[in-house]
Amino acid sequence: MNNALEVQGLCKSYTDFTLDSVSFTLPAGRVMGFVGQNGAGKTTTIRCILNMAIRESGEVNIFGLDNQQDELAVKQELAAVFDEIFFVDTWRLREVEKAVKGFYSRWNSKLFGEYLSKFGLPPGKRVKELSRGMKMKLMLAVAMSHEAKLLILDEPTSGLDPVARNELLEILREYVADGEKSVFFSTHITSDLEHIADFITLIDHGKIFYTGTKDGLLEHFHSVKGNSAGSAGELPSIDEILVFISKGGQVS
Amino acid sequence: MNRVINATKLDFYASKSMLRMTSLLVIIGVVIGLAAHGPEYMMMFIMVFAVTSGGSVFSVHEKCHSDKLYGILPLKKSEMILGRYLYALIIGAAYAATGGILGFIMSMVTSGRLNALPYWATLAIAFAYFCFAVGVAYPIFFKFSFTKAYVFTMLPMYVIAVLFLFVTRRTDFTSGIGSAIKFFTAHVYLLPTFGLLAGLVLLAVSALIANLVYTRKEI
């Protein structure tokens, strides 16, 4: 199976935080939830993947290409959505396209127009006039219009109301439906992942606690913990597992 | 090269509304020129304000978290820097052209008191000054945030401009330069070339420094 994203032995130190040999693999066409509490190292890992932070050691490969040496080729293949919008707030939505389309070899203006229409985003509206949910949809529209094969989302649902969160998850489901596109989804709102993620990677204090299939995690935790937190016979939630880990429990 | 041009376009899109506002500063330059009865003051001040316009793009990008946008675009940091300096150069050229045309018109209106040598000398110095000011400011903006660095980078430029105004009014500025004046009097056409070259050299040195600073910086 081809891998969309491979992170091996990734290390990065700051004065008060260390990312300690982070390793995981996301197969192509799948969705991985990257879960950890605030400050666990999710954003630092993503910044290293995007080459926004310079790694000290380890490897990051995206579709087999090194994210530093082949940065330009890699960035044609990926898109990222953050918890806050990064477009100039005075731009009208049609100007967003003008500003970014020149950078992408596979930019599809027709597709962008279709996404704006589908997501209910008026092209004449300014970025600053959009609600938080609409801003998220705009970033997704841009991400999907250059036909990115890997979508990286950093806490996209934080601050969204339940309706907007559900809409976002629906968009992601459609995005991966063709089986060729992959999503790496960082969040601390674990309920988002219950239905959409195929794989889960758990991170705490800069260390990976578990990486593998979601079902494997739930079953493994169920047998380790005896499901004392949940109802008898039912698999635990990812939230319960996260709390368990934060209290010093071991999963892997 | 295409990516550098796209980066320059992105800067113009980003600063479009800010450029509209800062271009109004040209009016202040004209008012100063009229008050001081000298088109050379107007041309200088227009170029001082051009620095403000050139720096405004950093403020827009900072306000709108554009570092994240640059983090995901297929664009090398060095290309982004080149794009930004190309943006500055275009702004400088546009303001210099505006200042030059307005200076020429004012010179005509004020009975042709500004002849070729001081006209081209002022324009050359004004453009070189713009490049110097941008050359100082940009690497600092790349290293630190615009908000933190703005006062420290712009204040000295305004002081230099005021000192220039003071010196040129209190002294016979043009005759004091001696042999250079004689040379350029005989070769007036060289003055804009000199200003342009000096400015380009300053910007090139600054771009190299900015590249060193920014490529080591985490976005």
Side-chain angles (χ1 to χ4, degrees), chain B residues 123-136:
Chain B
L123 208 54
I125 290 169
F127 182 76
Y129 163 77
F130 167 83
C131 294
F132 167 74
V134 163
V136 170

Side-chain angles (χ1 to χ4, degrees), chain B residues 54-154:
Chain B
S56 64
V57 68
F58 284 90
S59 109
V60 176
H61 282 312
E62 189 175 309
K63 183 184 159 211
C64 300
H65 314 287
S66 300
D67 51 340
K68 287 179 177 168
L69 176 61
Y70 283 111
I72 62 164
L73 285 175
L75 180 72
K76 289 180 184 168
K77 283 180 175 174
S78 56
E79 293 168 338
M80 180 266 212
I81 288 167
L82 273 177
R84 186 66 52 84
Y85 276 87
L86 185 58
Y87 163 87
L89 197 58
I90 293 168
I91 297 271
Y95 271 80
T98 307
I101 292 165
L102 290 174
F104 180 75
I105 293 168
M106 189 179 282
S107 181
M108 290 301 185
V109 171
T110 53
S111 313
R113 62 180 286 267
L114 193 63
N115 56 32
L117 179 66
Y119 174 81
W120 286 113
T122 305
L123 208 54
I125 290 169
F127 182 76
Y129 163 77
F130 167 83
C131 294
F132 167 74
V134 163
V136 170
Y138 272 29
I140 297 172
F141 291 154
F142 276 115
K143 175 70 179 171
F144 306 101
S145 69
F146 176 84
T147 320
K148 285 179 189 166
Y150 178 75
V151 173
F152 299 105
T153 53
M154 291 302 173

Side-chain angles (χ1 to χ4, degrees), chain A residues 5-206:
Chain A
L5 173 64
E6 291 174 75
V7 177
Q8 292 299 325
L10 178 65
C11 294
K12 175 74 188 170
S13 295
Y14 294 103
T15 49
D16 54 349
F17 176 77
T18 300
L19 209 58
D20 186 6
S21 196
V22 166
S23 300
F24 56 85
T25 300
L26 167 63
R30 312 307 281 268
V31 178
M32 176 178 277
F34 191 42
V35 188
Q37 52 189 316
N38 290 329
K42 301 186 296 293
T43 298
T44 304
T45 304
I46 287 175
R47 279 161 45 79
C48 287
I49 292 169
L50 295 171
N51 207 18
M52 292 163 77
I54 301 156
R55 65 179 185 245
E56 284 155 14
S57 62
E59 278 183 34
V60 176
N61 289 307
I62 294 166
F63 298 108
L65 299 172
D66 184 272
N67 75 325
Q68 289 181 344
Q69 287 174 8
D70 306 301
E71 185 178 7
L72 295 177
V74 160
K75 286 186 174 173
Q76 289 286 349
E77 301 297 337
L78 67 80
V81 171
F82 297 96
D83 58 343
E84 60 188 4
I85 197 153
F86 43 69
F87 299 122
V88 175
D89 58 5
T90 54
W91 281 347
R92 294 184 191 282
L93 303 199
R94 67 172 76 91
E95 291 174 317
V96 172
E97 185 194 13
K98 280 185 189 171
V100 302
K101 72 175 182 183
F103 292 97
Y104 293 104
S105 57
R106 292 200 304 269
W107 181 270
N108 188 333
S109 290
K110 189 169 171 257
L111 201 57
F112 181 71
E114 285 172 7
Y115 278 124
L116 289 189
S117 172
K118 186 177 175 183
F119 297 161
L121 300 170
K125 206 160 187 173
R126 291 188 192 277
V127 170
K128 64 182 172 188
E129 294 166 353
L130 301 177
S131 68
R132 193 169 169 78
M134 288 168 101
K135 285 176 180 170
M136 201 57 63
K137 286 178 185 171
L138 173 62
M139 285 192 280
L140 285 168
V142 170
M144 293 168 179
S145 297
H146 69 89
E147 296 172 15
K149 288 181 188 158
L150 171 62
L151 183 55
I152 295 175
L153 302 107
D154 187 13
E155 301 275 6
T157 53
S158 62
L160 290 184
D161 61 58
V163 175
R165 276 167 57 193
N166 195 49
E167 282 178 342
L168 172 72
L169 297 176
E170 277 302 318
I171 293 166
L172 292 181
R173 273 193 202 99
E174 284 181 31
Y175 176 72
V176 296
D178 66 0
E180 290 179 2
K181 299 188 182 84
S182 316
V183 173
F184 182 70
F185 187 136
S186 121
T187 185
H188 65 277
I189 305 170
T190 54
S191 56
D192 294 337
L193 301 169
E194 301 280 353
H195 302 293
I196 195 171
D198 306 302
F199 292 82
I200 297 284
T201 294
L202 291 176
I203 187 167
D204 192 45
H205 291 96

